[in-house]
Amino acid sequence: MTQTAESGRTETDRRVSSWLTEFADALSAGDGDRAAALFADESYWRDLVSFTWNLITVEGHAGVADLVRSDAARQASPVSFSVDGTPTEGDGITEAWLKFETAIGRGTGHLRLNAEGKAWTLLTTLDELKGHEEPRGERRPFGTEHGANPDRVTWRERREAEAAELGYTRQPEVVIIGGGQGGIALGARLRQLGVEAIIVESNERPGDSWRKRYKSLALHDPVWYDHLPYLKFPENWPVFAPKDKIGDWLEMYTRVMELNYWGSTTAKSATYDSAAGEWSVVVDRDGEEVTLRPQQVVFALGVSGKPNIPEIPGRDTFQGEVQHSSQHPGPDEYKGKKVVVIGSNNSAFDICGSLWEVGADVTMVQRSSTHIIRSETLMEYALGDLYSERAVASGIDTYTADMVFASLPYRIMHNFQKPAYDKAREVDADFYRRLEEAGFELDFGDDDSGLFMKYLRRGSGYYIDVGAAELVADGKVKLAKGQISEFTEKEVVLDDGTRLEADLVVFATGYGSMNRRAADIIGQEMADRVGKVWGLGSDTTKDPGPWEGEQRNMWKPTQQDNLWFHGGNLHQSRFYSLYLALQLKARSAGIATPIHGRQESHHSA
């Protein structure tokens, strides 16, 4: 028999508790029609692993009914829900935080009821698996062994033995290809869940992927948005951390979280034996070829893959330097030089700004429109209510902020984002006017929803302005527009005939998709079977339909068994690493994982 807590104190409390009781009963009984009747005609249920072994958003009555009737939902029965805290009301919507328990685990949720008492949005997220809880709080490790033991093995000896054995005399359950913040965060989650993993990274040290970027690079996201799992940044950590400071933090974090991190290691190939349920991953570990045989492989390569470097006629005759932004060392050796930067997004602006500061003659080439938002404005109107010191002071910690954000289905998220960017256009009207007068082509996304929707849909096309846009507006960084058509010995020639003299050309032209990079390791056939990674299927620029409802192939089962993708910014690496880790732990523990709504492939890699 399902149970739901009933406070009975207010009409709002009774409404929410009554809805939860009816929903829990219908869900436990697998009664899709009864559950669907509790939802509004326009409604969204976003589930992160709890009832689907997937990350999925279902829409409307049919979507809810199908989910409730699924094998995954039936496996979770019986279900109990309770209200966590006091429900709130505003603008005809009742909101409540939830706790729930299933046959498999425990979770947290969020509910929005409309004025008719029907669910508009429901979020359900799995927090832990029963019997496989993390060793925290009262379950934390003892750390030592009291008493006398002639066979005592110290912590250091255990770690040294693990480092010597794992990957050689015994195999990891998971290999994570990519040792940036995504791979490190997932490695930490798996470590706490008792899943043995090896992180494979081509750079020598954790954090090198940050250290090796251009010297002026700093995070454009604020500290409250960027914490890693388990270990927050200190209270005196800067709002926007410089790249080398982030690199050092990641290296320290890797050590204290006891991760098996293979630096100077390149994944050369990965093949899957479906009969054995096992991968063969061949890596070059600092000159030694090693074959790893995990059950699961995770690509954790950020949002992007290989650098995009266009093939331009005449490059072999060009007498100057040519770099991709990922190779740019910084501005110091280019004082007094003529530099052309191809591109007009984050890296392009950062590089242009730092080159101008040392006295270079800089021209930016804009190839397509760019969304620009001033950092101060972004913080005030888009992020401040959830990720800021004022949010913390009002009781919104990072976990709460993450859950509020997760509770907004992607289908309607642009409606919540647009007002912040409408406000930006108002308060920064003079800033935008001066940019346009300088010839810069601006946009706010296909539907004027701004930065974050562009990021989710395509992962490109924006700049968080920390000062360099003013240089373009003032003409201190020159602006040209068009596509580069050829190199000459000393010039870059654009498609309209413009000729730009250059000692250095920097291609700030972004990166290819994650799965294109993965194709070099798993093969094109398997990569095509998985399909496009990233994007929502919004049918906006660079995000072709059909609508997916969640990020394509991220943090969830793909069309290739036992192959996963993980990445994104620090916020996504922190938040979604939990749900990926729980899916991997369930498979490691032998828990059945019937998947509802497995990701389909609509686009090749």
Side-chain angles (χ1 to χ4, degrees):
M1 181 68 180
T2 57
Q3 299 291 325
T4 302
E6 176 74 58
S7 69
R9 292 180 179 175
T10 68
E11 181 59 33
T12 300
D13 294 334
R14 285 192 291 272
R15 187 185 311 120
V16 171
S17 294
S18 175
W19 190 95
L20 289 175
T21 298
E22 293 184 50
F23 180 64
D25 285 344
L27 184 56
S28 295
D31 191 335
D33 291 338
R34 184 152 57 108
L38 297 168
F39 284 74
D41 291 340
E42 182 200 352
S43 53
Y44 309 90
W45 179 3
R46 188 180 192 209
D47 181 63
L48 306 185
V49 184
S50 317
F51 299 101
T52 59
W53 292 114
N54 201 355
L55 276 66
I56 190 171
T57 300
V58 298
E59 301 184 11
H61 295 162
V64 171
D66 285 347
L67 195 163
V68 170
R69 297 185 188 116
S70 70
D71 290 341
R74 289 179 179 274
Q75 179 197 33
S77 180
V79 181
S80 64
F81 282 89
S82 62
V83 180
D84 187 23
T86 303
T88 60
E89 288 189 288
D91 298 324
I93 299 295
T94 300
E95 297 192 46
W97 290 103
L98 318 172
K99 291 293 184 183
F100 63 88
E101 186 169 334
T102 74
I104 301 298
R106 304 174 188 88
T108 300
H110 184 272
L111 173 67
R112 292 184 180 92
L113 297 178
N114 66 17
E116 288 73 45
K118 302 288 188 179
W120 178 35
T121 71
L122 174 65
L123 170 72
T124 49
T125 69
L126 186 65
D127 295 338
E128 60 186 6
L129 295 166
K130 288 182 177 177
H132 305 283
E133 296 84 356
E134 291 184 357
R136 62 170 72 193
E138 293 183 355
R139 294 187 296 271
R140 72 168 67 235
F142 193 55
T144 188
E145 178 186 0
H146 288 172
N149 181 359
D151 299 317
R152 181 186 301 275
V153 179
T154 66
W155 172 85
R156 180 173 178 175
E157 289 169 334
R158 285 195 302 272
R159 286 290 292 140
E160 289 173 344
E162 182 179 20
E165 295 168 4
L166 195 63
Y168 294 97
T169 61
R170 74 176 196 274
Q171 292 299 315
E173 296 174 79
V174 179
V175 166
I176 301 169
I177 299 174
Q181 67 247 18
I184 289 170
L186 178 60
R189 298 279 195 192
L190 293 173
R191 183 78 182 186
Q192 295 308 303
L193 288 169
V195 178
E196 290 195 313
I198 290 176
I199 302 169
V200 171
E201 169 58 38
S202 59
N203 286 307
E204 180 183 358
R205 296 160 54 200
D208 275 353
S209 56
W210 286 93
R211 293 188 190 95
K212 291 183 177 181
R213 297 296 305 279
Y214 52 91
K215 77 171 192 176
S216 63
L217 178 63
L219 287 179
H220 289 184
D221 297 323
V223 61
W224 308 276
Y225 189 75
D226 292 332
H227 296 297
L228 292 175
Y230 311 112
L231 191 60
K232 288 187 174 184
F233 294 119
E235 291 294 314
N236 61 353
W237 193 262
V239 174
F240 302 106
K243 69 178 183 74
D244 296 287
K245 195 172 181 69
I246 286 292
D248 289 349
W249 182 266
L250 290 172
E251 186 168 26
M252 177 278 297
Y253 184 91
T254 300
R255 291 178 64 86
V256 300
M257 297 307 294
E258 303 179 18
L259 306 187
N260 296 300
Y261 193 98
W262 285 18
S264 302
T265 303
T266 303
K268 299 171 66 177
S269 67
T271 55
Y272 185 65
D273 183 337
S274 57
E278 181 180 276
W279 288 89
S280 175
V281 182
V282 179
V283 304
D284 181 325
R285 189 182 190 191
D286 201 16
E288 175 192 9
E289 184 170 287
V290 181
T291 299
L292 302 171
R293 301 192 183 279
Q295 283 76 53
Q296 312 286 339
V297 167
V298 181
F299 281 96
L301 301 171
V303 176
S304 309
K306 294 179 178 179
N308 277 330
I309 305 177
E311 291 292 330
I312 306 296
R315 177 173 169 177
D316 56 339
T317 66
F318 181 61
Q319 295 178 356
E321 290 184 72
V322 178
Q323 303 165 348
H324 186 264
S325 58
S326 60
Q327 302 163 326
H328 182 62
D332 294 348
E333 57 192 274
Y334 303 105
K335 180 178 181 179
K337 302 288 187 181
K338 293 183 181 295
V339 183
V340 174
V341 178
I342 311 297
S344 56
N345 296 335
N346 269 335
S347 294
F349 271 99
D350 283 351
I351 290 169
C352 284
S354 62
L355 285 164
W356 180 86
E357 287 178 344
V358 300
D361 180 350
V362 189
T363 300
M364 171 185 285
V365 177
Q366 185 180 28
R367 302 176 300 154
S368 59
S369 64
T370 302
H371 170 60
I372 297 181
I373 182 81
R374 294 178 64 249
S375 177
E376 296 84 353
T377 306
L378 181 71
M379 282 298 303
E380 180 65 24
Y381 299 108
L383 286 175
D385 288 345
L386 293 179
Y387 299 98
S388 68
E389 207 61 49
R390 82 166 185 260
V392 173
S394 67
I396 300 177
D397 59 10
T398 298
Y399 173 76
T400 303
D402 287 351
M403 292 296 288
V404 170
F405 201 80
S407 75
L408 299 173
Y410 288 129
R411 175 77 84 175
I412 59 175
M413 184 176 284
H414 63 284
N415 296 324
F416 290 84
Q417 293 288 304
K418 190 174 182 297
Y421 297 92
D422 290 343
K423 186 67 174 179
R425 292 169 109 153
E426 175 190 332
V427 300
D428 292 331
D430 181 66
F431 168 72
Y432 291 124
R433 176 188 58 78
R434 290 188 296 109
L435 274 170
E436 289 180 323
E437 288 177 352
F440 196 87
E441 188 177 351
L442 290 164
D443 73 59
F444 278 76
D446 288 18
D447 53 5
D448 291 336
S449 57
L451 171 75
F452 200 69
M453 295 312 300
K454 260 200 161 186
Y455 171 73
L456 290 171
R457 291 165 174 169
R458 54 183 280 190
S460 65
Y462 48 82
Y463 169 53
I464 301 174
D465 179 43
V466 294
E470 291 285 354
L471 298 175
V472 173
D474 293 341
K476 294 174 180 177
V477 167
K478 299 172 207 172
L479 181 66
K481 296 171 71 174
Q483 305 294 327
I484 180 170
S485 61
E486 66 174 310
F487 283 98
T488 67
E489 289 186 357
K490 295 185 178 181
E491 296 171 319
V492 169
V493 182
L494 303 185
D495 54 1
D496 65 355
T498 299
R499 307 176 80 89
L500 304 172
E501 189 176 348
D503 301 300
L504 168 67
V505 176
V506 180
F507 282 101
T509 45
Y511 300 82
S513 68
M514 246 186 293
N515 46 340
R516 286 185 184 176
R517 189 170 171 187
D520 293 339
I521 300 171
I522 60 177
Q524 192 64 51
E525 181 182 352
M526 185 180 290
D528 284 342
R529 184 160 64 250
V530 170
K532 186 176 175 63
V533 176
W534 203 260
L536 300 171
S538 62
D539 208 23
T540 57
T541 303
K542 296 187 178 181
D543 184 27
W547 178 250
E548 306 283 2
E550 293 286 334
Q551 295 273 210
R552 287 188 194 92
N553 285 311
M554 293 297 295
W555 313 294
K556 59 184 177 180
T558 68
Q559 284 293 320
Q560 172 58 54
D561 288 341
N562 298 21
L563 177 65
W564 311 79
F565 289 84
H566 172 55
N569 57 29
L570 281 157
H571 158 261
Q572 291 169 304
S573 295
R574 172 187 68 249
F575 185 71
Y576 289 105
S577 59
L578 171 62
Y579 307 108
L580 176 50
L582 288 170
Q583 293 172 83
L584 294 170
K585 176 62 181 181
R587 286 158 173 80
S588 170
I591 299 171
T593 56
I595 300 160
H596 177 65
R598 184 191 286 263
Q599 173 78 59
E600 295 181 10
S601 178
H602 300 290
H603 308 279
S604 60

